[in-house]
Each structure stands twice: as C-alpha cells, then as structure tokens.
C-alpha cells in the first residue's frame, strides 16, 4: 500500500468547495494555528502576476482535530469556493491548449466539469497545503525542517544553496517573501520578467527547490518503494509539475570521482563531504539533507489567440482565453511542493519499526 493511498482530494475549482481527507495522521499533534495560516497565506494570490481571484480560504475541519490536537481519526477539511466566476462551459467541445480539457473529455466521455479546470485545477492543492502544515508540525517535534523556495523563474536563476550544511535561516527568510528568491538582483529581474509576460498575455515556467533537513538515514525502500519513487508520485500529483530531479544531475558531472559523495565521521555521525545524490542512495535516505527540484510548466491559460479544435464540428478553430490567471503558477506552488514533501516525510517516519 502506498502512503498516498491515505490521501484523497475532492471538489472542483468552480464547485461549492474543495477539500482533503487524510487517514493515519497520528493522534496527539498539537496544532499551531499560526503555522497553518502562514502556509495558506504563502499559497494565496499576491499583487503581482497572480490571479485576481480572491478567496478567504477559511478551513472548516470536519474531523481529525479536537481542542487544537489531532485525534487519530480521519483528518478531513473543506474550503468554500466563494469567489468562483460562473462561466460558459464550452471546454468539453473546444479544449484549451495546455489544459486537461481534451484528455478529461475523452476519459469522462464528455461529462467532465471543466469550469476553471474542474478537478484538475490548482485550487485543489489548498487541502494539500493544510494537511502538509499539520505534517510539518509532526516533523518539527523531531527537529526536521521541510523548506521550499524558487530556484528559477523563466531564465532568472536564484543563487545556489548549500545542500551539505544549509543555511536554514536563509531558507526560512525566503519563505516570508511574496516572491521567494534570495538574490536581490534576481528578485528585481524576476519581477520585470513577470510584468513583461503579463503585458504580452504570456506565462512563465518555474523551478522549485525543496530541502528536508535533519531527516534520519535508512528510510525509504527498494525499487517501486524507493524514496525517489514514492515522493515523486506525490509531487507529480501537483498540477503543473513536469519534472523532478533529486540532487545534482549526473550528466552535469562527467566523472564518477567528481560525483559520488565521500563518507567521513563527524564525531559519532556518518556524513558525506558533498551531497550530489540529494540525500538518497539505493532508494533510502542517507542522513544528509534530502534535496530535490520540481519543474513547473508555464501557466496554460494565456491572454492571446491560440489554435485548437472544435470537437463537435470536427474542424480547426481558434480560442482567446479570458479569466483570472497566474502569470507564473510556480510562485504559489512553493508551499504545495513543501507540503507534499512533509507528508511523505511524516508517513516515512511512521513506518519506522517500534
């Protein structure tokens, strides 16, 4: 059984509500409401380059938390969709390029609710962020940090982060920024690029880097149960994720003598001098920080004329998309990627033998 079998997302972008249910969250986790709100705030739309849709994102916890502590029952929370535009639903017949309209139409035999992306919308990641914030509190009790930030937006790349002895304060500082980039010049360049794309009606790709710090060695498994396999399954459940890379790309370093990390004793702890493998070897954590990068595709909703097809009339046609869309969905995806990593880390720890 996969750890992701514990989690179900439900709802649609323009329906009444979206939510999440999670089984097997352990009882006794004291909930820090401020941390929950901080995670939700990081996911909310900001002033630049984001959708003009404004939701309050107030959680209604149906079960799993009582008097500020997890109960061990199935955790279930929903969020109302209060600012959902009512729009003409023609996407089953005229699919938007880059969206799931066409494939969802085929899978559902034409019955899918595709308003705002329907069940494929990034709106459903709201529940992931809330559950991930609970998982982070489980991990913080064990001094494990899970942190994510922007590595690149378009061609603008942030400074390289140390993945051997990471500056946790710098990662935490970056989380507080509306645009989580540390390099000051890069921050200005990214803002200019976002504004340029917005004026053209275009969109931008992004890469998100994530760190799981102070995670113990030996967790994961072989083959289909490897840490990379299971964590990647969760990451690819996030709309827009198209690639995941753990550690440094082997093709970036030609010789094994430069790539493979050498061990040494740090008092009574085994560490490595470098961290090219990203903290995972043989499908299991090695005690070094787990580091990966998730690539997010450009927002598929563009404010320009695009070619598509009319499925009913069986001819080529054009579409001009309108609506409230992010220029770069990767910015608001940072806490989502972080939450998936936190949920994986929590469930991996829960599988430790007593």
């Amino acid at each position: 059984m996969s750890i992701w079998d514990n989690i179900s997302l439900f709802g649609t972008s323009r329906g009444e509500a979206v939510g999440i249910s999670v089984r097997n969250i352990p009882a006794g986790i004291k909930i820090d409401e401020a941390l929950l709100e901080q995670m939700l705030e990081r996911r909310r739309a900001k002033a630049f380059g984001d959708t003009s849709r404004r939701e309050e994102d107030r959680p209604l916890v149906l079960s799993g938390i009582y008097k500020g502590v997890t109960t061990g029952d199935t955790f279930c929370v929903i969020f109302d969709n209060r600012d959902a535009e009512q729009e003409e639903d023609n996407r089953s017949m005229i699919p938007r390029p880059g969206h799931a309209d066409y494939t969802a139409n085929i899978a559902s035999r034409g019955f899918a609710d595709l308003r705002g992306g329907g069940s494929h919308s990034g709106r459903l990641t709201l529940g992931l962020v809330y559950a991930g914030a609970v998982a982070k509190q489980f991990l913080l009790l064990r001094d494990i940090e899970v942190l994510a930030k922007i590595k690149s937006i378009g061609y603008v790349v942030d400074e390289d982060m140390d993945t051997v002895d990471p500056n946790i304060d710098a990662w935490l500082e970056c989380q507080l920024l509306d645009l989580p980039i540390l390099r000051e010049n890069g921050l200005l360049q990214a803002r200019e690029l976002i504004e340029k794309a917005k004026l053209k009606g275009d969109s931008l790709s992004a890469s998100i880097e994530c760190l799981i710090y102070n995670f113990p060695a030996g967790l994961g498994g072989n083959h289909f149960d490897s840490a990379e396999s299971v964590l990647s399954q969760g990451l690819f459940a996030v709309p827009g994720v198209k690639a995941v890379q753990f550690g440094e790309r082997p093709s970036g370093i030609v010789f094994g003598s430069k790539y493979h990390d050498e061990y040494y004793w740090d008092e009574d702890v085994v560490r490595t001098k470098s961290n090219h493998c990203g903290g995972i070897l043989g499908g299991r954590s090695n005690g070094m920080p787990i580091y990966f990068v998730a690539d997010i595709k450009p927002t598929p909703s563009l404010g320009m004329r695009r070619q598509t097809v009319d499925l009913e009339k069986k001819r080529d046609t054009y579409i001009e998309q309108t609506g409230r869309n992010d220029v770069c969905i990767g910015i608001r995806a940072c806490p989502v990627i972080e939450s998936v990593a936190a949920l994986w880390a929590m469930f991996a720890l829960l599988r430790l033998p007593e």
Side-chain angles (χ1 to χ4, degrees):
M1 176 178 170
S2 168
I3 66 171
W4 304 114
D5 291 333
N6 290 305
I7 302 176
S8 293
L9 301 176
F10 55 86
T12 59
S13 176
R14 303 295 166 85
E16 292 298 318
V18 295
I20 189 170
S21 68
V22 187
R23 295 184 296 116
N24 295 318
I25 288 182
I29 304 174
K30 188 175 181 180
I31 299 301
D32 181 350
E33 294 291 344
L35 177 58
L36 291 176
E37 178 55 33
Q38 182 191 64
M39 289 286 284
L40 294 176
E41 178 60 30
R42 288 170 59 201
R43 188 198 164 279
R44 285 191 184 100
K46 306 300 188 299
F48 57 92
D50 290 339
T51 174
S52 59
R53 180 175 179 177
R54 293 292 182 263
E55 295 281 4
E56 294 181 358
D57 294 343
R58 291 182 180 175
L60 174 60
V61 178
L62 302 182
S63 62
I65 297 177
Y66 180 63
K67 293 184 177 180
V69 180
T70 57
T71 64
D73 295 325
T74 296
F75 173 78
C76 186
V77 60
I78 61 173
F79 299 83
D80 289 341
N81 292 328
R82 299 181 178 227
D83 189 25
E85 283 185 328
Q86 298 304 314
E87 58 193 22
E88 184 179 352
D89 185 14
N90 65 345
R91 290 168 182 176
S92 59
M93 290 296 104
I94 304 179
R96 300 165 297 171
H99 282 272
D101 299 347
Y102 175 67
T103 52
N105 176 64
I106 297 298
S108 69
R109 295 179 293 130
F111 293 107
D113 176 1
L114 299 176
R115 296 171 302 157
S119 62
H120 303 274
S121 169
R123 176 75 180 151
L124 274 78
T125 63
L126 188 55
L128 274 175
V129 170
Y130 198 81
V134 174
K136 285 191 66 170
Q137 294 180 52
F138 172 87
L139 298 171
L140 287 171
L141 293 173
R142 291 151 182 81
D143 296 322
I144 297 171
E145 290 272 12
V146 183
L147 306 158
K149 59 176 287 296
I150 293 291
K151 182 177 178 66
S152 66
I153 292 179
Y155 53 74
V156 178
V157 181
D158 199 11
E159 63 185 59
D160 288 335
M161 304 298 285
D162 186 351
T163 63
V164 177
D165 292 302
N167 183 342
I168 298 301
D169 288 339
W171 282 80
L172 290 170
E173 173 190 340
C174 201
Q175 287 187 329
L176 300 177
L177 303 174
D178 287 347
L179 186 55
I181 293 177
L182 283 176
R183 184 167 63 88
E184 185 174 350
N185 189 41
L187 186 63
L188 296 174
Q189 290 176 336
R191 286 180 180 273
E192 290 175 0
L193 187 60
I194 290 169
E195 187 60 31
K196 182 178 179 180
K198 184 178 180 180
L199 290 173
K200 292 171 57 181
D202 215 333
S203 62
L204 295 166
S205 63
S207 292
I208 297 170
E209 52 187 346
C210 186
L211 190 78
I212 307 177
Y213 179 71
N214 207 28
F215 195 70
L219 296 181
N222 291 339
H223 311 301
F224 302 110
D225 293 324
S226 72
E228 298 103 323
S229 298
V230 179
L231 182 48
S232 292
Q233 184 182 354
L235 293 170
F236 281 113
V238 177
V241 172
K242 299 301 289 184
V244 176
Q245 172 190 314
F246 290 90
E248 189 165 348
R249 288 182 62 199
S251 60
I253 302 177
V254 176
F255 298 105
S257 58
K258 300 295 184 183
Y259 180 80
H260 296 298
D261 307 307
E262 296 181 328
Y263 294 109
Y264 73 98
W265 281 105
D266 182 7
E267 297 182 353
D268 59 346
V269 177
V270 173
R271 290 174 55 84
T272 59
K273 294 181 178 179
S274 54
N275 192 20
H276 300 304
C277 72
I280 300 173
L281 284 172
R284 291 182 169 86
S285 56
N286 69 356
M288 296 297 288
I290 293 177
Y291 174 80
F292 66 86
V293 178
D295 291 340
I296 311 291
K297 71 179 183 180
T299 311
S301 295
L302 305 180
M304 58 178 66
R305 193 167 185 252
R306 303 280 287 168
Q307 182 174 329
T308 183
V309 293
D310 187 319
L311 297 175
E312 184 177 26
K313 298 178 181 178
K314 294 186 177 179
R315 67 183 186 187
D316 293 343
T317 187
Y318 290 88
I319 187 172
E320 291 189 27
Q321 295 175 228
T322 59
R324 303 173 294 178
N325 307 301
D326 298 85
V327 173
C328 179
I329 56 177
I331 299 171
R332 296 169 59 204
C334 281
V336 183
I337 297 300
E338 188 175 295
S339 294
V340 170
L343 286 163
W344 171 82
M346 179 184 73
F347 281 118
L349 282 168
L350 291 173
R351 290 189 172 189
L352 278 173
E354 296 293 337

